Amino acid sequence: GIQYALGGFGLIMQPRLRLFVLVPLLIDACLFSLGIWLVVSQLDQWITHLLPSWLVWLEWVVWPLLASVIFLAVFYTFSILANLLAAPFNALLAEQVEAYLQGLPLPPFQGVSSLLGIMGRTFKSELSKLWYMSKWMLLIVIITLTPGLNLLAPFAWIWFGAWILAVEYVDYPMGNHEFYFKDELSALRLYRSTAMGFGAVISGLMVIPVINFIAMPVGVAGATAFWVDKIAPHHRQRS
């Protein structure tokens, strides 16, 4: 999974693909800038509300844990929002990357009418993903807000982020081939370790300043390579 995540850097730099990277990159940059500002301006206030009074004497130990939890929660939330807004453009980028990887001519952009069609398909897919994510996020938020249990919260957020980002990005190439959300989950479970490795690297890229601005297109390109190399051949064998 690591090789697919890092391989996304090389893919988005290909001259034939750069144009399709532009919109996802701009959306990612704007939202992550907002997330950074929110964390920097509100961190102390949020920690004050989350830190139980009986743990004040351990503030020097608990503060870094709570800061990590808040940091991860904000960035994963903004990542979900960024992917929701950029979904049609990510699907278009995945289509172009797949053609490039297979040595095929890049599909011509069909204009606004084509983009509207992609928006309809990706919106339905994004709703399915949001419902799936919200169930797991609710559980992790409960862990985060429960005294004692919240010491496990950073690890829960890391696990959640790695899996959800793998689900998020593999959806774009698979959605282009009209696979439904349940099919995507089944496919990723067959390659769980690869999916978790991929998602963990993308999670790490999201928290590196400047690099986080291009994490989304890198994730889309890397997930498309994952689909072409592993998931698509498996589906062809089954059929």
Side-chain angles (χ1 to χ4, degrees):
I2 296 172
Q3 66 177 339
Y4 292 120
L6 297 180
F9 282 100
L11 288 170
I12 68 169
M13 295 304 294
Q14 296 302 317
R16 298 165 64 189
L17 299 173
R18 288 176 189 168
L19 178 63
F20 299 94
V21 172
L22 184 59
V23 174
L25 189 150
L26 290 175
I27 292 174
D28 220 18
C30 291
L31 285 175
F32 272 99
S33 296
L34 179 59
I36 292 169
W37 171 82
L38 196 60
V39 169
V40 170
S41 62
Q42 300 295 322
L43 183 61
D44 287 336
Q45 184 177 348
W46 287 341
I47 289 180
T48 300
H49 284 91
L50 284 174
L51 186 64
S53 57
W54 59 277
L55 281 179
V56 170
W57 64 283
L58 280 177
E59 182 177 359
W60 64 279
V61 173
V62 178
W63 197 96
L65 290 174
L66 288 180
S68 299
V69 168
I70 291 170
F71 184 78
L72 291 170
V74 169
F75 273 77
Y76 288 141
T77 300
F78 273 79
S79 174
I80 292 169
L81 179 58
N83 282 285
L84 178 62
L85 295 175
F89 305 99
N90 286 338
L92 191 60
L93 173 59
E95 180 184 47
Q96 301 292 323
V97 171
E98 182 171 353
Y100 173 81
L101 290 171
Q102 294 178 334
L104 301 173
L106 296 188
F109 179 52
Q110 302 296 326
V112 176
S113 59
S114 173
L115 193 58
L116 290 175
I118 295 174
M119 287 176 66
R121 187 187 76 231
T122 56
F123 182 73
K124 182 178 179 181
S125 179
E126 289 299 318
L127 288 179
S128 298
K129 285 187 285 187
L130 283 173
W131 172 243
Y132 177 80
M133 294 174 189
S134 64
K135 292 185 290 185
W136 283 105
M137 186 175 283
L138 177 61
L139 175 61
I140 297 176
V141 167
I142 292 172
I143 293 173
T144 301
L145 298 177
T146 303
L149 276 180
N150 56 15
L151 298 178
L152 300 175
F155 307 102
W157 280 108
I158 290 171
W159 172 86
F160 169 80
W163 177 251
I164 288 301
L165 288 176
V167 171
E168 178 69 51
Y169 289 120
V170 167
D171 172 67
Y172 297 118
M174 293 192 70
N176 285 341
H177 291 273
E178 299 184 354
F179 284 100
Y180 295 102
F181 185 61
K182 63 179 182 180
D183 300 316
E184 295 160 6
L185 287 178
S186 298
L188 284 179
R189 287 175 183 135
L190 289 174
Y191 299 98
R192 190 183 298 272
S193 59
T194 304
M196 291 298 290
F198 171 82
V201 173
I202 298 299
S203 297
L205 296 178
M206 286 169 50
V207 299
I208 300 175
V210 181
I211 297 295
N212 56 10
F213 294 154
I214 61 171
M216 181 161 57
V218 166
V220 174
T224 304
F226 181 16
W227 153 257
V228 170
D229 289 350
K230 298 283 188 181
I231 303 174
H234 174 79
H235 277 280
R236 284 196 292 267
Q237 290 173 4
R238 289 184 60 186
S239 59

